[in-house]
Structure formats: structure tokens, C-alpha cells
Amino acid sequence: LAPQGLELTPVEGLTEPRLWVRRLVVWKEPGGQVVRDVPLRPGLNIIWSPDRADGAPPTGQQLSIGHGGGKTLFCRSLRYCLGENRFATEAQRERIGRAFPNGIVGAEVMLDGTCWAIVRPLGSRRRHMAVPHGQLDEIAAGEGASTGLEPFIETVEQRIITPKLRELISPGTDGPIWPIALAWLTRDQECRFDDVLDWRSPASDSDSPMPASGREKGPRLEALRAFLMAITPEERATREEVERLEERRRAAEQEIGHRRWEIERTQTRLISALNLTNQTLPDFPLLIDLMRRAANEQVAAAAQLPASGAAELAQARKELEAARAEWMRLDGERIRIGTSIPIEERVLSEIQGELPALSFSTSEAESQVCPICEVPIDRVLAEKCGLSHKLHDPAECRIRWEKRKQDFEDQQRKLALLRQERTQNLEQLALAKQNMDQLTRRVSNMEKTRDARESAWYSARRLQDEVERLADLVVAQDAATANLRQLTTDLEKERGRLGAFRDKQARVFGRMSEKFDPIVRRLVGSDATGRITLSGVGLELTVDMGGDRTTAAIDSLKVLAFDLAALCLSIEGATRVPAFLLHDSPREADLGLSIYHQLFQLARELEEQTRQPLFQYIVTTTTRPSDDMTCAPWLRLSLRGSPGPERLLGCDL
């Protein structure tokens, strides 16, 4: 029997789900050993990894281990064949690549009655195949050219997703939409069923496109609504307009805040500079007028300061340059004289040193002695010595002595003149230095007077300019404030339109609540109620059991019930996604055992709603299902964590 209150109206004419996986196969190499061949069916498919805690019998000498058997790898391989970019994390892909360098995985995917043979590599091969009406084993063993998965993905988008959803989910992009829908229908186990909008975890390394992954949940909510046909192009355009207005308002608020800070800083500086501190000041714009008057008064006062004429300053500078040149000339003379005096003193000393010798030579010439026998010349002449005939000329010696004596006197006079000139030079140099210093002080005072007047003038004019700039800032602030008010009005108007759109879409979520509520009551008890509402905050799932419950287990239950409610709508053709669902170990999300068993029973009862199951629901579990579900046709595969041959790939990695 159907769950109480859950009614289904399947699409007429369907004899099987529009999209379902008939078979998943792993080969060690193309045309080689089949590592794993898993047949699947429409309806409920259980992949069970028995755990000894549930009373699973030992295998050989080993105790049964439920975890590590390959349940998540099975789910990832299935997602890989349906179009996801990666089948495991990078570390696991490396280990699988070393164990199966030529390994491949393939699936028979039924799409609107057509069997697609899909083959993808597990190791170093780069051959991806998606062939309609193909034979999976033949294609896997062959060496045909790679087709990529684009033909399959494009067909899913054309037939089920429909192209018009692109503008509702990712306008302006060229990427496919199916991987986004696949992320919702095949949630990561790492997300722990924590939130209805948590689809892909960064830890899974799935490389799913935006908005399937990432922190922003807003784009995922819009994608989810698009898949549930609960959003229209008009609402999407309105939401974009709201986002644009919100961004403009944030920018306007930031601009107003920065300008307000600038106005306050400029106002404080001008009040101090214009000597308005002790006055009672009016508000803008009267304050601007008061500041203008004060600035004009400072300009007028600066104009009354004494001024140094340009001609007078130029003449003073000319006189200073002349005085500086005269001082430099005299200083050069000082240096020349100071250098000459020691030289002349040495010359005088040398002449003075020669005079005694010349005096002796003159005296000796007048009474000469024979240079050979050292006998006075008079005696030599008397005794007629014939040895010496060369004698000094007394006249010549006297001339030399007189000349050197004259040189000595001339050098004394020259040295005296230099010393006298030095004394005069020092006096003139002191007067020149005094004159130059006086002219320097005069020019400096004239320049200071000129600079002070110019500084006061420019300061007053700068205050005038700052007052005008403050006036411009105030005008701009008033305009920005008016613009912000208008933006706020427009934003509220557009938000009102969004609220109206949400009200129009309330019937869609009302219809979904009609599925969600009985599913919740079926899982946790008849006294519970469930409700799905769309608000301005987001999608709200409520489970009422004597009050709104928000425990970890109830949160996981909400996500499972939501997915199952969406599955029911897909069976009725009320969504843009296939009636396909893959849940990887939902019990590990803290779901109670009794609720867990009810989940399997609910899926089994959904099968009985139609003559042939029009959905495919695949669940992996380490928890033992109820006894009547641990057999065909519901149990499709049993895996164990040990020994290695009992794992999905038949070995330990």
C-alpha cells in the first residue's frame, strides 16, 4: 500500500524511468577480465556492505568489515559514467591507476528507451565513449575513436533538462546544465546530508561546476528551483535587478560613508583655520556662507601686509653680489700675500747668509796670500817666488759685496711692503665682510617679508578653495543621499515583486509539501508533519513533532524526505530532472535505525504505485536492511571491506 496521504499520478505512456542505469561494469583492461559486473533495475537498488556489528557472518578466516568495501567508489563510478569529471579523490585515483593502468569502467544507461553504452578510463587511457544503441561489452573491448561524453550529456539536456533552463541557472555561460542536476541527485557522502543545498564537498575532489559546489548557496537554490520548475525568467530577471540594486546601494552607502568622513575632517580643519572655534555655528548650507565670509576676510587681511618691492629686492641682491665679489677679491689678495711673505723671508735670509762670506773675500783680496805656499804676496814679491801668479781682484770682490748688500736692503724693503700690504688687506677684508653680512641680512629680511606676505596670501586663498571644495562635497553628499533613498525605494519595489513571484510559486512548493508531509509521517510517525516553504531567506524544511525539530538526525531526515518528494514530482513529470536518485550511506548521517528501515520500505512501496517502477533509487549501506529486503530484486550487490577479493575492485589498493 502507498504511504498514507502520498498520492502519485505518473506520466502517462511511460513503462520505465526516462533515465536509469541498467548495468555498471569494471574491466581490468579493454577486452580483458571483468572485475565487477553489477546489474541494476528500475525502483529500489540496495548496495550492501555487511558489518559484523549487524551480525554479518565471517568470510573464511576474516571477520566481516562493512566499511572500506567500495560503496562510495561504486557511487563515484556511477556518477563518472553519468558525466562527472572524476571518479575519486586524487590520491585514490593514483592508487587505482597503479593497480589498473589500463582499467576501464562502463555503464548501460537507458535514456528514453535508448540504451547508451558509456565507457570511461580508470588508468592512463584517455578514451571516453558514449554511443547510443551500442553494445557495452563490444565497445569496451574495441579501439574505436573517442567520442567523449558530450553526445550523451547533450541528449539528456535536450530531452529532460530542456535548453530554456540555461538562462534560469547560468545565463551567459556555455557549460552543460546536466552536471549541476547530477550533483543534486547524487549527493556527496562527505556532505553528510546536513543541508538540502549541500551537494558537493571540496573533500570529494569531484570538480563539479558552479553552482553545484562552492560556499554560495544562493545560486544552488535558484538552480534547484529551476529544476523543480519553481522559477520563471521574469523572476530571474527581477532577482538579477535586485542583486544589481543591492550592489549599487552598497556602493552608494560606502561612497556616502567615505564622503561623510571627508566632510567631517575638512569641516573640523576649516573651523580651526578660520578661527570659528568659539562661535555657535549653524548647519549646512548656512555654515558654508559663514566660512566663505571668514576666508574672504583672511584674504583681505593678507593683502594689507607690507610688501617688499621687486625692484628694491633685485637692487639689494645686486649690491650683495657686488659685496660678495669684493670680499672674494680681497680674500684672494690675503691668500696671495700670506703665501708671498714666507717666500720673501727665506730669500732675505739667504742673502743675509751670503754677506759675511763676501765681506771676508773683499778683505782677503786687499792683502792676499799665495794660494800655494800660503806666504803673503808682499814677501813673495820681495823674494821673487815664481810658483804663483794668479791673485784675487780686490775691486771685483768689493763690487760683489756691495751688490749683495744692496740686494739685502731691497729685499728688506720688499718684505716690509708686503707686511704693510697684509695689514691693509686684513683691514679692508674685515670691512668687506661686515658690508657683505649687512647686505645678506637685508636681503634675507626682505625675502622673509615677501615670503610671509605670499604665504599668508596663499594660505588665505587655499582656505577659500577648501571652503568651495567643502561646498561641493556637501552638494555631492546631498545628491548621493537622495540617490540612495531612490535606490532603496526601487529595491523595496523589486523585492515586493520577488515576494509576489514567491507567492505565485507557493503552489509548486505546496505541491511538493503534499509529498514531503506524508513521507515524513511515514518515516517518523503519524503524529509528525512536514512542510516546505520558500522565503526571502531561502528554502525552509520543517518537521514538526510537538515542535520544530532541528537535531542532526532530523536534519538528515529532512534532506532525505526532500529528495524523495522531488523524486515523486519527477515521476509525475513535474520537474526538469529524471526520476533518479543516488544516496550514499545515509545512515552514516546519524539517521536512526528504525527510520532507516522505513526508508527502504517507503522506496519499496513507491514501486508498487505503478505497474512498473518509474524511478530508480540506489542506496548504499553498511546497516543491514530488513530481512525481506536482503534479497533479489532489491539487493543488487554485496561488498565487504576484507578480504581484498570481496571489495568492489577485487583487491586491496
Side-chain angles (χ1 to χ4, degrees):
L1 297 178
Q4 183 180 3
L6 180 59
E7 298 181 357
L8 292 180
T9 307
V11 178
E12 295 182 0
L14 290 181
T15 58
E16 63 178 12
R18 296 191 63 187
L19 184 146
W20 62 286
V21 182
R22 189 167 67 182
R23 184 180 171 211
L24 183 72
V25 188
V26 179
W27 290 271
K28 190 169 186 179
E29 58 188 13
Q33 173 189 352
V34 175
V35 178
R36 185 71 64 180
D37 190 342
V38 184
L40 300 170
R41 61 185 282 271
L44 176 63
N45 296 261
I46 300 175
I47 310 300
W48 180 32
S49 183
D51 191 275
R52 59 175 176 262
D54 293 321
T59 56
Q61 300 299 319
Q62 299 285 336
L63 292 176
S64 178
I65 300 175
H67 296 281
K71 303 183 303 301
T72 297
L73 181 59
F74 171 85
C75 296
R76 294 294 302 270
S77 300
L78 200 60
R79 287 157 46 177
Y80 187 48
C81 289
L82 288 174
E84 194 162 280
N85 290 333
R86 298 172 182 171
F87 62 87
T89 61
E90 182 177 0
Q92 193 171 16
R93 292 197 306 273
E94 291 179 357
R95 292 194 295 270
I96 293 174
R98 289 194 296 268
F100 300 93
N102 296 312
I104 56 176
V105 60
E108 293 178 354
V109 181
M110 302 300 297
L111 177 58
D112 283 340
T114 300
C115 178
W116 284 75
I118 297 176
V119 177
R120 304 196 73 176
L122 295 176
S124 59
R125 294 170 62 87
R126 292 295 180 265
R127 184 166 166 264
H128 303 261
M129 303 289 291
V131 181
H133 306 290
Q135 296 296 323
L136 180 61
D137 297 280
E138 294 179 2
I139 293 174
E143 293 294 337
S146 176
T147 66
L149 261 69
E150 287 77 10
F152 170 73
I153 295 175
E154 183 178 354
T155 303
V156 173
E157 296 207 355
Q158 291 291 333
R159 295 188 179 182
I160 299 178
I161 303 297
T162 70
K164 64 182 180 181
L165 254 67
R166 177 177 303 281
E167 292 302 318
L168 297 178
I169 296 176
S170 55
T173 63
D174 297 328
I177 302 302
W178 166 240
I180 301 174
L182 183 65
W184 168 33
L185 301 175
T186 60
R187 298 174 183 272
D188 273 341
Q189 184 192 35
E190 291 84 354
C191 290
R192 307 284 299 169
F193 297 89
D194 287 335
D195 188 272
V196 69
L197 295 176
D198 285 347
W199 301 347
R200 288 289 180 263
S201 167
S204 68
D205 192 19
S206 64
D207 193 29
S208 293
M210 296 291 288
S213 58
R215 295 184 177 181
E216 294 294 331
K217 294 184 179 181
R220 278 199 293 282
L221 175 60
E222 291 197 7
L224 181 63
R225 292 180 59 192
F227 294 138
L228 295 175
M229 295 193 294
I231 191 172
T232 62
E234 293 79 8
E235 181 181 352
R236 173 74 192 213
T238 302
R239 185 173 295 278
E240 290 178 352
E241 179 65 14
V242 167
E243 293 174 355
R244 186 181 68 84
L245 289 173
E246 287 177 342
E247 180 62 29
R248 287 180 58 191
R249 187 175 72 168
R250 282 193 296 270
E253 289 175 343
Q254 186 177 23
E255 178 186 354
I256 288 173
H258 289 166
R259 191 182 291 109
R260 182 185 302 113
W261 173 82
E262 182 68 15
I263 288 173
E264 291 174 353
R265 187 183 68 165
T266 305
Q267 177 183 345
T268 301
R269 186 172 63 250
L270 285 174
I271 288 174
S272 176
L274 295 172
N275 300 319
L276 301 176
T277 306
N278 297 324
Q279 298 185 27
T280 302
L281 302 177
D283 295 330
F284 294 115
L286 296 178
L287 180 58
I288 296 295
D289 295 334
L290 178 60
M291 288 181 172
R292 283 192 179 117
R293 288 195 297 272
N296 292 337
E297 290 174 359
Q298 288 202 10
V299 171
Q304 300 300 320
L305 292 175
S308 296
E312 183 181 357
L313 179 59
Q315 180 62 31
R317 286 174 174 170
K318 185 176 180 180
E319 292 175 0
L320 175 61
E321 290 301 319
R324 184 178 289 112
E326 177 63 15
W327 177 85
M328 292 177 65
R329 185 188 66 79
L330 291 172
D331 192 57
E333 286 295 315
R334 179 188 62 79
I335 295 172
R336 181 186 63 80
I337 295 171
T339 305
S340 299
I341 286 177
I343 296 174
E344 299 301 331
E345 287 177 343
R346 284 196 300 271
V347 172
L348 180 64
S349 178
E350 290 174 359
I351 295 173
Q352 188 177 12
E354 292 177 3
L355 288 177
L358 291 174
S359 177
F360 176 77
S361 296
T362 302
S363 176
E364 189 180 40
E366 292 177 348
S367 59
Q368 300 185 35
V369 178
C370 178
I372 297 174
C373 32
E374 298 181 354
V375 176
I377 293 301
D378 293 339
R379 184 180 176 184
V380 170
L381 292 175
E383 295 180 0
K384 299 188 183 293
C385 179
L387 295 177
S388 175
H389 63 279
K390 295 183 178 180
L391 301 175
H392 293 291
D393 186 355
E396 183 180 351
C397 289
R398 181 172 294 278
I399 290 172
R400 285 201 305 270
W401 181 79
E402 291 292 340
K403 183 178 183 302
R404 207 59 179 160
K405 185 178 178 182
Q406 183 64 39
D407 290 341
F408 177 75
E409 292 174 354
D410 292 342
Q411 187 67 24
Q412 280 184 321
R413 286 193 295 272
K414 183 178 181 180
L415 187 59
L417 288 174
L418 282 175
R419 288 170 176 167
Q420 182 181 1
E421 188 178 355
R422 180 177 62 181
T423 301
Q424 293 175 353
N425 175 264
L426 292 175
E427 292 174 354
Q428 293 173 354
L429 187 64
L431 292 174
K433 180 67 167 61
Q434 182 180 1
N435 183 45
M436 184 179 67
D437 290 343
Q438 290 175 350
L439 289 173
T440 300
R441 288 192 294 272
R442 180 187 175 196
V443 170
S444 177
N445 292 334
M446 294 175 70
E447 288 178 342
K448 288 180 180 178
T449 301
R450 181 204 60 183
D451 293 343
R453 185 176 187 277
E454 290 181 353
S455 177
W457 170 264
Y458 286 121
S459 296
R461 290 301 303 271
R462 186 170 59 251
L463 288 175
Q464 281 184 323
D465 294 339
E466 289 196 18
V467 170
E468 296 306 320
R469 179 172 173 271
L470 178 61
D472 293 340
L473 286 173
V474 172
V475 171
Q477 187 77 334
D478 292 340
T481 303
N483 181 56
L484 178 61
R485 286 195 295 267
Q486 184 60 46
L487 283 175
T488 303
T489 301
D490 295 343
L491 182 59
E492 293 302 323
K493 180 180 177 181
E494 294 300 321
R495 283 175 174 171
R497 292 185 61 194
L498 274 183
F501 281 121
R502 284 195 299 269
D503 293 340
K504 290 182 180 179
Q505 301 302 333
R507 63 181 185 86
V508 175
F509 289 98
R511 183 177 179 184
M512 195 166 184
S513 291
E514 293 175 358
K515 312 297 183 186
F516 183 76
D517 177 68
I519 290 173
V520 167
R521 286 190 279 112
R522 182 68 174 81
L523 293 176
V524 299
S526 58
D527 59 340
T529 59
R531 184 174 65 259
I532 300 174
T533 54
L534 178 66
S535 67
V537 178
L539 197 62
E540 298 179 1
L541 309 183
T542 304
V543 172
D544 194 329
M545 299 171 58
D548 185 17
R549 299 296 182 92
T550 57
T551 65
I554 294 299
D555 288 341
S556 301
L557 168 67
K558 292 175 183 178
V559 175
L560 290 172
F562 178 87
D563 287 352
L564 289 172
L567 181 70
C568 292
L569 290 182
S570 298
I571 294 172
E572 296 181 339
T575 69
R576 291 298 182 187
V577 292
F580 175 85
L581 204 56
L582 172 62
H583 281 162
D584 186 10
S585 300
R587 176 74 193 286
E588 293 183 15
D590 201 23
L591 203 65
L593 181 60
S594 61
I595 299 176
Y596 198 61
H597 285 163
Q598 289 296 330
L599 176 66
F600 293 123
Q601 191 63 36
L602 173 63
R604 179 176 176 178
E605 292 172 358
L606 288 177
E607 292 184 11
E608 299 171 359
Q609 289 286 294
T610 57
R611 185 174 57 184
Q612 295 290 336
L614 298 181
F615 69 94
Q616 187 174 47
Y617 181 33
I618 303 172
V619 183
T620 70
T621 178
T622 57
T623 304
R624 178 184 179 88
S626 57
D627 292 338
D628 58 341
M629 305 286 284
T630 55
C631 58
W634 300 283
L635 182 63
R636 309 308 298 174
L637 176 65
S638 292
L639 299 170
R640 288 181 171 82
S642 63
E646 297 293 324
R647 304 179 71 182
L648 179 69
L649 297 183
C651 65
D652 291 323
L653 298 175

